Amino acid sequence: MYTAELIKGKTYSVMGHVFLLNQVKDIEKKVFQYLDGNEFFDCKQLDDPADDSKTDDQPKEDEELAKEEEEPAQEAKIYTESELKGMNKTEQEAIVIDFGGDPTQLKDKSERIAFILEHQQQQEKTGE
């Protein structure tokens, strides 16, 4: 079992998880591997890693790790305006933070949506 705690910022959204400051959440191994080493998180592995190292499973684990390492490049989700309108404030703020913005500087839902759409377009143009 793995846990992650957001220790910097207010909210953070990644791989279907929305983290709030100082909130410890149980996460999957894939999310743990993605967040471990991120200065915004305190990540912990709570189970015994010896259980994962069975020789029969090793080739399968290696294949899974290779797939997981490729996925962060595919993480750039493109949000539509209607998707963003359907999200709650916390989810929108997490996306704003992902784009390097400060949600406290945005007054309302429409400003958050405009910020996200604008930064998505900039990312598409720069190819990031």
Side-chain angles (χ1 to χ4, degrees):
M1 182 160 99
Y2 305 91
T3 64
E5 176 182 2
L6 181 63
I7 57 175
K8 291 184 181 179
K10 289 186 177 185
T11 61
Y12 197 98
S13 175
V14 62
M15 296 183 183
H17 294 277
V18 177
F19 295 89
L20 302 175
L21 184 62
N22 299 322
Q23 177 188 42
V24 177
K25 288 188 75 162
D26 292 340
I27 56 173
E28 303 84 21
K29 181 177 182 179
K30 176 175 141 179
V31 180
F32 171 81
Q33 290 173 328
Y34 183 79
L35 293 176
D36 194 31
N38 182 322
E39 68 183 62
F40 285 78
F41 286 89
D42 179 21
C43 298
K44 294 181 180 151
Q45 181 175 349
L46 301 177
D47 58 355
D48 184 13
D51 294 345
D52 293 337
S53 60
K54 295 177 184 171
T55 54
D56 296 344
D57 295 339
Q58 199 62 38
K60 186 177 178 182
E61 280 187 31
D62 290 343
E63 289 174 19
E64 289 174 7
L65 282 174
K67 289 178 186 175
E68 291 169 2
E69 288 172 359
E70 292 173 11
E71 286 186 28
Q74 301 169 357
E75 283 299 311
K77 170 145 175 46
I78 305 300
Y79 298 97
T80 64
E81 187 172 354
S82 59
E83 277 180 301
L84 293 169
K85 285 181 179 178
M87 292 180 182
N88 65 36
K89 180 179 179 180
T90 303
E91 292 171 321
Q92 292 171 349
E93 287 179 342
I95 298 167
V96 168
I97 291 169
D98 286 346
F99 281 115
D102 180 1
T104 62
Q105 299 297 313
L106 304 170
K107 295 176 188 169
D108 57 21
K109 186 175 192 169
S110 62
E111 285 190 13
R112 287 190 299 273
I113 292 171
F115 177 92
I116 293 166
L117 293 174
E118 180 181 326
H119 282 79
Q120 272 185 169
Q121 287 177 334
Q122 289 175 358
Q123 264 192 350
E124 288 174 358
K125 289 179 185 175
T126 60
E128 292 180 358

